[in-house]
Amino acid sequence: MISMKNEQQIENELITKLEDLKYTYRHDIRSKASLEQNFREKFEALNRVHLTNNEFKRLLQEIITSDVFSAAKTLRERGYFQREDGTPLHYTLVNIKDWCKNEFEVINQLRINHDDSHHRYDVILLINGVPVVQIELKSHQIVTRRAMEQIVNYKNDAGNGYNNTLMCFMQLFIVSNENQTYYFANNRNEHFSFNADERFLPIYQLANYNNRKINHLHDFSDFFLAKCTLGQMISRYMVLVQSEQKLLMMRPYQIFAVEAIIDCIHENRGNGYIWHTTGSGKTLTSFKASTLLKDNPEVDKCLFVVDRKDLDRQTREEFNKFQDGCVEENTNTETLVRRMLSEDYADKVIVTTIQKLGLALDENSKRNQSKLKDGQLTFKERLEPLRDKRVVFIFDECHRSQFGENHKAIKNFFPRSQLFGFTGTPIFDDNSNYTQIDGTVGSFKTTKDIFENELHSYTITNAIDDKNVLSFHIDFFGKNSKSPDGDCKVDTVTPPPEAVVKEILAKHNAATNQRRFNAILATAKINDAIHYFEQFKIQQAQKQALDDSYVPLNIACVFSPPAQPSKSTDEAQACNADKNVKDIKQLQEDLPQEQLDNQQEPEQKKAALVAIINSYNQQFCTNHNINEFDLYYQDVQQRIKDQKYSNADYPHKNKIDIIIVVDMLLTGFDSKYLNTLYVDKNLKYHGLIQAFSRTNRVLNDSKPWGNILDFRGQEKQVNQAIELFSGAAKDRAKEIWLVESAPVVVKKYQQAITELQTFMQSKGLDCTPSAVANLNGDTAKAEFINHFKEVQKLKTQIEQYTELDDAQLQTVEAAMPIDSLRGFKGVYLETAKGLKRKQDQNNGELDKTIEQLEFEFVLFASALIDYDYIMGLIAQSTQAAGQGASKHKMTRQELIDLISSQANLMEERDDIIAYIEHLPAGVALNVEQIKIGFQKFKAAKAATELNQMAINYDLTPQSLKDFVDNIMKHMIFDGEQLSDLLAPLDLGWKARTQKELALMEDLIPYLHKLAQGREISGLAAYE
């Protein structure tokens, strides 16, 4: 039997490994004082200075900060310090010019002792005495993800070393049980948390150039912790996102792509392209490549080229988000030419559209012809000084932008230029559709033909395998009939829009996890989009007439209008209209179907779009018009992204459930909260992958995959696209891309329920919700958590399968009836709440089983069942039959079970249940009366609870009320005021301490309830 290594053995072997990598092991640094003394010696040597004790103390005060982002900037920049004699000292903490020349040390078992915290850190790496990497080690059997959460909890502890010591400069955390190793960037608390909604740490696994994972700690050390490599990772490949004050670590494949471009330029090896799948972070990769080129003296200019105005704006915003003001807007071709000729450092990297670049190089354009007539230099003539310069062009989504004459014009004018393309879906022979005519010869052009060399690839197969994007669940409409060999056949007859809308309305809640997410409906033509918009209105009105509890979906529609010249006689209006026409023409260059459609009956299409925009204005209280179409389009995109907010924070009436499109939004648009694509248009190859990929951004377990509902029977086209874009892993691509079939998951669900039943029986209990309370000990409760969490995870997946027939739904219901499921969810949340509290208060003595628990409350939270929904159900439950009651009125007990099973209602659950039980029978109340009544009830209940607390602890109710009111007013808990509150009791030191602790045990949950999720500063010290 192979023995498991413990943490100490793993730690000792790691230190030996780091010594082999030429780190200096400093076993003498185990305290804050020795850490600071070592830093002082390194700082003075680097900056060739000798500080007095007072100066060093003041230096520490100036550089140490609780703000992670500010500390990260300080680490990378030159600082200024005024010495006691008034002379200035310009310093750096590390050698920022050449990180390899810093001193690299390793320390272990460092203790930072404070009144509130006695943390011990396993292994820390120092660069020039500054702690920059923390390595948290666990024994073989420990799950590393729990160790990550432990680091998060450490950072949230009051008085932790990350806020007020040199530990504030920590850049990276590494977690390993030796066999599995992960790493992630340090960040401010708002970017550094695990919670029930969606925000998880961006966690990385190291991989080599071919995306083979490097998991073992020693292999990881060789590859990542080699001194110069680590210096590069921190200095070059961590991005400080200015707009969000956030540290971002580039993923391995992004780093390989950047290095491939830089090397290709350095060695002047011609052009190249990066095949990185949609959703893999191409913008960050291209930003980093561009900024590194900005500091490359071999390159004179770097142009990042997009092919649409909206992507120009989006890319500029993304680049400036990474680094404020790094690129400016080119309002027209004149501005672009001026900035291309500028020698200012700020103008070295330029973001522009292919259209503006094409106009600058096209001597036959109206603008250039006009300049020639006036005796002025054309744009092209003005750019002549750049002809022999080294200009680098980086093309975004190069599968679209480069299959035209612009490519030839660029190469002809800039013979020394190098062209690099980023694409998620390259053009191969199979999917090439652009014919390049050269004399009398016609030939198909592929990405390789134009960009020559594939520099790096990270395919959708890689990304799904790595869980960087989601796989797809595809529901082919009509896939019901069985062939003789037992396989399902897809019906290729396209259903009419009326049937499609009926199907969508029946399946939308399931597909979008009860409207937690939203969807795109892709149509074949503009007339189809118009017809669909009207059909949704008709069918939803019919549903409301039949069921007054039906909440209609918010439907919006967007397609480009006809690009018609203005007929206005007003000069200002005509000028604005002309600009709108230009914007639309540019937009339509990438919208071939819409461009074609708008040539037929343009007035009718314009009138329909005007009506659609007016309907939008009425729905969302906006004031858009067709003459400023771009503003309407921007608003639609933002409203789709606003799905990320809960209905409590941003009511459902402000959001879009389904957006109807023709060509728009099917490429380049990203939203984590869009999970469904309804397809009623023919798609193939890169167009299919691009459209499908709108749905597969990773969030959490509430979004297990991207949902595709296809009404065109395109199974053959899907298989062809998988074959073409799967890269090297063609043999297993289909199993990676597509989720398991519904029957397979239903069987897993049944098995999980069987295992839950076996577990409960092994404890001598029936498998019922009420029996869970009789589980003895926290270990047994932890086992229950793990068993039922698996049941709920599979149930969440099953609920998002849209093709389940009645028999399959009955099978799922029979496995665990809805009442039992709700009951188990309720006791799960109650049990999890208790164990989570023990995890948070862990002093190192907690059982490993409980320490490792992950509760995944997100699986138990509904976007549909929120405060307003519950208030409506309570109102319905009070109505007598025939007096406004819904046909689906719930009993009080059903209501209570439903509320108990929702994680998003945990904070108010007890109050809502008490209110329901308090309501008099036989009294009909409307929603508004229910809401007002609940607020009054809650206030009275809270006052009674506080009064009782005051009595229990011999305090006057008014003094305790004033104490609590002051906390909530400032959202700050002051320990001195707690002492003042208890002072009248005239207790001895020991008795007062016991009284304080007992009072706080009751007061903390009360304060959290009042805070409703907001943080009360200083309270964590008492939890």
Side-chain angles (χ1 to χ4, degrees):
M1 180 179 174
I2 300 172
S3 62
M4 293 283 188
K5 287 184 185 176
N6 60 35
E7 288 179 29
Q8 189 60 58
Q9 289 173 298
I10 295 171
E11 183 177 309
N12 292 341
E13 290 176 11
L14 172 62
I15 290 170
T16 301
K17 180 68 180 176
L18 291 168
E19 286 183 297
D20 291 343
L21 293 171
K22 307 306 179 187
Y23 282 74
T24 303
Y25 175 40
R26 295 294 302 275
H27 59 82
D28 55 317
I29 300 176
R30 295 284 171 93
S31 66
K32 177 187 171 187
S34 55
L35 181 70
E36 290 177 354
Q37 180 58 35
N38 182 57
F39 166 70
R40 179 175 181 172
E41 292 168 6
K42 301 296 187 296
F43 178 89
E44 291 180 344
L46 177 67
N47 294 285
R48 298 179 182 179
V49 66
H50 180 71
L51 301 178
T52 67
N53 290 340
N54 285 337
E55 284 176 332
F56 181 67
K57 185 177 180 182
R58 187 158 51 84
L59 175 71
L60 289 179
Q61 289 171 347
E62 289 185 15
I63 65 172
I64 290 173
T65 172
S66 59
D67 182 5
V68 175
F69 192 80
S70 296
K73 288 179 70 177
T74 301
L75 181 68
R76 290 163 172 81
E77 295 173 353
R78 293 187 70 80
Y80 170 80
F81 177 75
Q82 188 167 15
R83 301 198 63 186
E84 290 174 345
D85 60 5
T87 57
L89 171 64
H90 296 279
Y91 67 86
T92 59
L93 301 184
V94 297
N95 186 336
I96 57 177
K97 285 187 177 180
D98 190 344
W99 283 66
C100 290
K101 291 182 178 176
N102 285 296
E103 289 197 48
F104 290 74
E105 298 168 306
V106 55
I107 64 174
N108 67 324
Q109 299 302 314
L110 175 73
R111 285 184 180 272
I112 302 286
N113 291 341
H114 289 276
D115 292 339
D116 304 311
S117 158
H118 299 279
H119 292 157
R120 185 177 60 194
Y121 306 92
D122 289 350
V123 176
I124 291 174
L125 305 184
L126 311 178
I127 297 183
N128 219 57
V130 180
V132 291
V133 178
Q134 178 185 333
I135 305 173
E136 191 70 22
L137 301 171
K138 295 293 176 187
S139 55
H140 284 179
Q141 69 271 28
I142 300 292
V143 178
T144 47
R145 190 170 180 86
R146 181 69 192 110
M148 298 172 202
E149 190 167 353
Q150 190 174 333
I151 288 173
V152 173
N153 292 338
Y154 274 13
K155 280 201 67 193
N156 291 333
D157 273 2
N160 71 72
Y162 303 104
N163 288 342
N164 47 25
T165 74
L166 288 169
M167 295 281 285
C168 73
F169 291 106
M170 197 64 66
Q171 300 296 289
L172 286 170
F173 294 100
I174 298 169
V175 171
S176 180
N177 62 4
E178 193 174 56
N179 295 318
Q180 292 290 324
T181 305
Y182 299 88
Y183 62 105
F184 50 98
N186 191 9
N187 261 305
R188 287 177 167 184
N189 284 353
E190 62 263 33
H191 306 303
F192 196 88
S193 60
F194 291 83
N195 64 33
D197 295 326
E198 72 274 353
R199 284 172 283 278
F200 290 89
L201 293 170
I203 295 161
Y204 309 96
Q205 265 187 299
L206 191 62
N208 67 11
Y209 183 88
N210 297 314
N211 204 47
R212 290 184 67 86
K213 298 296 172 288
I214 300 170
N215 284 318
H216 194 280
L217 182 58
H218 290 192
D219 298 331
F220 177 94
S221 300
D222 284 330
F223 201 94
F224 191 91
L225 297 181
K227 295 194 296 186
C228 285
T229 305
L230 180 62
Q232 273 199 336
M233 290 296 171
I234 294 173
S235 62
R236 294 183 69 169
Y237 298 121
M238 285 187 78
V239 177
L240 275 58
V241 184
Q242 186 71 38
S243 64
E244 298 177 26
Q245 302 281 286
K246 178 180 182 179
L247 276 63
L248 207 56
M249 185 74 208
M250 294 183 72
R251 295 181 184 276
Y253 60 84
Q254 293 174 312
I255 294 170
F256 288 124
V258 170
E259 289 180 339
I261 291 173
I262 300 300
D263 289 347
C264 192
I265 291 168
H266 180 66
E267 296 169 13
N268 203 9
R269 285 190 278 110
N271 306 329
Y273 67 95
I274 303 294
W275 175 9
H276 280 189
T277 190
T278 305
S280 62
K282 293 193 296 295
T283 305
L284 174 60
T285 311
S286 54
F287 164 78
K288 178 49 71 173
S290 301
T291 52
L292 289 176
L293 290 176
K294 196 171 185 176
D295 295 320
N296 186 338
E298 297 176 342
V299 173
D300 296 296
K301 284 284 174 184
C302 176
L303 273 74
F304 188 84
V305 186
V306 297
D307 65 351
R308 295 206 309 254
K309 181 181 177 181
D310 60 319
L311 290 180
D312 180 18
R313 179 181 57 245
Q314 181 179 310
T315 303
R316 269 189 294 102
E317 288 173 354
E318 288 289 319
F319 272 36
N320 286 327
K321 185 176 82 172
F322 297 138
Q323 184 178 327
D324 192 28
C326 71
V327 289
E328 295 179 12
E329 181 180 7
N330 298 308
T331 50
N332 51 40
T333 308
E334 169 63 37
T335 310
L336 170 63
V337 171
R338 178 176 51 76
R339 294 189 64 222
M340 286 178 72
L341 292 168
S342 166
E343 294 185 2
D344 287 353
Y345 179 74
D347 291 328
K348 189 166 178 181
V349 173
I350 300 170
V351 176
T352 188
T353 62
I354 189 76
Q355 292 81 6
K356 287 193 184 85
L357 189 59
L359 284 171
L361 300 177
D362 182 7
E363 289 181 321
N364 298 316
S365 70
K366 289 181 182 179
R367 185 71 58 86
N368 279 331
Q369 289 297 313
S370 173
K371 286 180 179 293
L372 278 172
K373 281 183 183 178
D374 295 339
Q376 298 177 6
L377 291 175
T378 64
F379 291 136
K380 190 172 182 179
E381 287 171 335
R382 287 167 59 192
L383 288 172
E384 197 65 31
L386 290 179
R387 181 182 288 274
D388 294 323
K389 300 287 187 183
R390 284 199 72 183
V391 181
V392 172
F393 293 89
I394 298 177
F395 291 88
D396 187 34
E397 301 296 355
C398 64
H399 61 273
R400 297 197 303 257
S401 62
Q402 273 305 288
F403 293 83
E405 291 300 312
N406 287 318
H407 169 257
K408 187 190 293 183
I410 291 167
K411 287 302 292 180
N412 286 342
F413 189 80
F414 298 101
R416 295 187 65 210
S417 66
Q418 285 182 271
L419 277 59
F420 298 95
F422 280 85
T423 179
T425 48
I427 303 299
F428 300 106
D429 289 331
D430 290 349
N431 63 319
S432 60
N433 55 14
Y434 177 80
T435 306
Q436 175 72 48
I437 304 298
D438 183 13
T440 58
V441 180
S443 62
F444 291 105
K445 282 291 183 182
T446 66
T447 304
K448 186 173 178 58
D449 290 334
I450 289 176
F451 289 97
E452 300 166 7
N453 305 303
E454 180 190 293
L455 299 181
H456 192 256
S457 69
Y458 184 77
T459 68
I460 190 170
T461 310
N462 297 140
I464 293 171
D465 222 8
D466 292 348
K467 298 182 173 57
N468 285 330
V469 297
L470 300 172
S471 52
F472 300 107
H473 163 250
I474 307 177
D475 180 358
F476 295 104
F477 181 82
K479 188 172 181 175
N480 294 316
S481 57
K482 291 274 186 179
S483 63
D485 59 4
D487 290 333
C488 292
K489 283 188 174 178
V490 175
D491 186 353
T492 55
V493 177
T494 304
E498 292 77 9
V500 172
V501 171
K502 184 179 179 182
E503 186 81 355
I504 289 173
L505 291 176
K507 293 185 171 183
H508 183 79
N509 280 359
T512 59
N513 196 357
Q514 304 305 313
R515 306 191 191 183
R516 182 180 178 84
F517 306 103
N518 46 24
I520 292 176
L521 167 56
T523 63
K525 296 180 180 178
I526 288 177
N527 283 341
D528 293 344
I530 295 165
H531 186 50
Y532 270 116
F533 188 74
E534 293 304 318
Q535 264 303 306
F536 273 108
K537 276 187 178 178
I538 293 166
Q539 293 199 30
Q540 292 212 100
Q542 292 170 348
K543 285 179 77 72
Q544 281 185 287
L546 292 171
D547 181 2
D548 59 1
S549 67
Y550 174 71
V551 179
L553 299 170
N554 294 335
I555 310 295
C557 179
V558 65
F559 53 83
S560 58
Q564 295 176 317
S566 171
K567 297 177 182 178
S568 174
T569 56
D570 182 276
E571 188 175 337
Q573 287 184 359
C575 181
N576 190 51
D578 287 344
K579 182 180 181 299
N580 191 45
V581 169
K582 286 179 183 175
D583 288 346
I584 291 164
K585 283 182 175 177
Q586 183 178 320
L587 198 62
Q588 287 181 348
E589 288 183 19
D590 195 46
L591 308 172
Q593 187 62 52
E594 294 181 23
Q595 193 176 38
L596 184 67
D597 286 354
N598 273 314
Q599 294 171 13
Q600 309 294 322
E601 301 177 326
E603 289 299 333
Q604 289 184 22
K605 292 182 174 66
K606 183 175 180 179
L609 184 56
V610 167
I612 286 168
I613 293 174
N614 287 340
S615 176
Y616 184 94
N617 288 335
Q618 189 175 0
Q619 166 73 41
F620 299 114
C621 300
T622 52
N623 191 30
H624 296 295
N625 65 76
I626 199 169
N627 294 322
E628 293 179 308
F629 176 77
D630 193 45
L631 294 177
Y632 169 63
Y633 185 33
Q634 287 182 52
D635 192 65
V636 167
Q637 292 177 77
Q638 186 57 51
R639 215 169 278 280
I640 296 169
K641 292 181 178 183
D642 286 343
Q643 189 75 15
K644 66 184 178 183
Y645 300 112
S646 70
N647 288 343
D649 293 332
Y650 195 64
H652 172 254
K653 66 180 182 180
N654 298 311
K655 301 173 185 175
I656 292 173
D657 289 303
I658 299 175
I659 179 70
I660 303 170
V661 303
V662 181
D663 289 328
M664 288 179 151
L665 299 177
L666 296 181
T667 60
F669 177 75
D670 286 342
S671 172
K672 288 184 178 182
Y673 283 80
L674 195 157
N675 85 323
T676 298
L677 176 70
Y678 302 115
V679 183
D680 187 18
K681 70 180 297 178
N682 293 333
L683 296 169
K684 62 180 182 178
Y685 295 125
H686 55 280
L688 183 146
I689 298 302
Q690 288 285 339
F692 281 22
S693 295
R694 298 313 102 209
T695 68
N696 73 339
R697 299 300 180 268
V698 173
L699 185 65
N700 56 36
D701 283 337
S702 69
K703 185 184 178 185
W705 51 66
N707 255 323
I708 313 295
L709 278 78
D710 173 57
F711 296 96
R712 291 282 178 121
Q714 299 181 94
E715 189 170 30
K716 179 182 176 183
Q717 289 84 343
V718 168
N719 290 336
Q720 287 173 338
I722 291 174
E723 171 75 16
L724 188 62
F725 293 108
S726 56
K730 294 185 190 299
D731 55 330
R732 61 189 195 100
K734 202 167 180 180
E735 70 178 74
I736 294 172
W737 284 47
L738 305 181
V739 301
E740 295 171 313
S741 65
V744 171
V745 180
V746 170
K747 282 184 181 176
K748 286 185 176 181
Y749 178 64
Q750 292 171 311
Q751 179 61 32
I753 291 170
T754 300
E755 288 174 8
L756 174 66
Q757 291 167 340
T758 302
F759 161 72
M760 292 296 286
Q761 288 164 5
S762 73
K763 303 298 179 185
L765 300 169
D766 293 333
C767 190
T768 62
S770 58
V772 174
N774 295 318
L775 287 171
N776 292 321
D778 288 343
T779 303
K781 290 173 183 174
E783 289 181 67
F784 164 74
I785 290 292
N786 285 327
H787 279 295
F788 187 72
K789 182 174 62 180
E790 185 62 21
V791 171
Q792 181 60 24
K793 187 180 289 186
L794 291 165
K795 184 66 163 61
T796 300
Q797 291 179 17
I798 289 169
E799 287 170 348
Q800 291 181 55
Y801 278 98
T802 48
E803 70 271 34
L804 293 170
D805 57 29
D806 289 341
Q808 288 170 318
L809 290 170
Q810 286 171 9
T811 300
V812 172
E813 170 70 13
M816 183 171 282
I818 187 66
D819 289 343
S820 291
L821 185 69
R822 278 186 191 150
F824 273 117
K825 285 166 74 173
V827 296
Y828 176 97
L829 291 174
E830 194 61 39
T831 307
K833 204 171 169 184
L835 293 175
K836 181 73 169 68
R837 195 178 300 117
K838 291 187 177 182
Q839 275 188 352
D840 293 342
Q841 296 169 351
N842 184 16
N843 57 5
E845 298 176 2
L846 203 60
D847 184 274
K848 293 292 183 189
T849 308
I850 299 149
E851 187 184 332
Q852 290 185 76
L853 274 180
E854 296 174 38
F855 300 105
E856 297 189 52
F857 291 119
V858 67
L859 293 169
F860 299 83
S862 167
L864 189 64
I865 303 171
D866 58 12
Y867 173 81
D868 288 334
Y869 182 84
I870 291 296
M871 293 295 117
L873 288 181
I874 296 171
Q876 286 178 14
S877 74
T878 68
Q879 305 289 326
Q883 294 182 359
S886 166
K887 296 174 185 176
H888 309 292
K889 185 175 81 168
M890 298 181 80
T891 66
R892 286 193 176 189
Q893 188 54 50
E894 286 173 335
L895 258 176
I896 289 169
D897 289 345
L898 177 65
I899 293 161
S900 299
S901 66
Q902 301 302 314
N904 50 312
L905 297 174
M906 280 173 73
E907 293 296 329
E908 293 199 287
R909 181 182 64 179
D910 293 343
D911 286 343
I912 295 174
I913 291 172
Y915 177 57
I916 292 170
E917 292 172 338
H918 157 84
L919 288 172
V923 178
L925 299 168
N926 62 32
V927 175
E928 197 57 34
Q929 289 171 320
I930 288 290
K931 285 184 175 180
I932 293 170
F934 176 60
Q935 293 304 323
K936 288 180 178 177
F937 174 82
K938 196 163 65 165
K941 183 172 178 284
T944 302
E945 192 176 334
L946 197 62
N947 283 342
Q948 187 57 53
M949 210 182 298
I951 293 166
N952 292 346
Y953 294 99
D954 304 318
L955 302 169
T956 63
Q958 189 60 46
S959 67
L960 185 56
K961 182 180 182 301
D962 291 344
F963 175 67
V964 169
D965 288 348
N966 192 55
I967 293 169
M968 300 312 299
K969 180 180 178 181
H970 302 287
M971 297 303 290
I972 296 173
F973 186 90
D974 188 337
E976 289 186 11
Q977 290 183 3
L978 176 61
S979 298
D980 293 342
L981 176 69
L982 297 174
L985 301 182
D986 199 23
L987 300 170
W989 176 83
K990 189 173 182 180
R992 191 186 73 229
T993 301
Q994 290 173 341
K995 181 79 80 172
E996 277 185 10
L997 292 173
L999 172 61
M1000 289 308 297
E1001 194 168 331
D1002 287 342
L1003 195 58
I1004 285 171
Y1006 184 87
L1007 291 172
H1008 279 314
K1009 194 183 293 185
L1010 292 179
Q1012 294 185 327
R1014 294 174 297 159
E1015 184 181 352
I1016 300 175
S1017 179
L1019 190 60
Y1022 290 86
E1023 294 186 271

